[in-house]
Amino acid sequence: MSDTTQLPAFIGALDRASEWFGRTLAWLIIIMMLIQFAIVLLRYAFSVNSIFMQELVMYMHASVFMLAAAYTFRHDGHVRVDIFYRGMTPRRQALINVVGIITLLIPVMIFIIASSLGYVANSWRILETSPDYGGIPAVYALKTLIPLFAVLMIVQGVVEIVRNGYVVAGRIAPSATGGNHLEERV
């Protein structure tokens, strides 16, 4: 990734916030693993079952998956079928990225927001709770992750449009964008 100081101040701040948010969410994975270990230990060693703890793992998993998607996008960690893309010059790749974000990512995220708002609003209106006795009484908070995911993806999409636009314009050196994909760095 390019240095965020090369981007306009506001866009750089959004990019740094995405980085911080993604790294912070990574800690949920460790917490989730510990809770899952406790669930297994309680169930098999002490014959104790906790619906609340099971749902807590589900809520954390959903949070990591939905809210860290923008972080993954920032680091080019999403799935890409790059039959032709890999052989292109970095500037042409940047142009393809801009076109893809504008024509695919942003419209799909807007659709997700528009189609989920009623669903989420109804859940908040009734303060929807778990259908299971002893479950987490905040299903509405879980459903809120859907539009929040889309908003975070749009924000990161705007950052990537500017970053890739700078590459196309020659304001950021193509090599500064991290040209190698994650699988090539393993």
Side-chain angles (χ1 to χ4, degrees), residues 17-38:
S18 179
E19 179 71 20
W20 176 85
F21 194 56
R23 289 181 181 272
T24 302
L25 280 169
W27 287 99
L28 271 183
I29 296 169
I30 295 170
I31 296 167
M32 184 173 55
M33 180 186 68
L34 293 172
I35 293 172
Q36 186 64 52
F37 176 75

Side-chain angles (χ1 to χ4, degrees), residues 28-92:
L28 271 183
I29 296 169
I30 295 170
I31 296 167
M32 184 173 55
M33 180 186 68
L34 293 172
I35 293 172
Q36 186 64 52
F37 176 75
I39 290 169
V40 171
L41 183 67
L42 288 171
R43 179 179 296 153
Y44 293 107
F46 304 105
S47 297
V48 174
N49 189 20
S50 172
I51 299 296
F52 186 89
M53 288 175 66
Q54 289 175 2
E55 286 189 5
L56 188 58
V57 169
M58 179 187 67
Y59 276 53
M60 284 191 239
H61 183 259
S63 297
V64 168
F65 184 81
M66 299 292 279
L67 301 180
Y71 173 82
T72 303
F73 180 45
R74 180 187 188 278
H75 289 279
D76 201 20
H78 55 284
V79 174
R80 181 190 302 266
V81 179
D82 56 356
I83 298 168
F84 303 107
Y85 182 88
R86 185 177 298 233
M88 294 180 178
T89 65
R91 282 192 174 166
R92 185 160 287 169

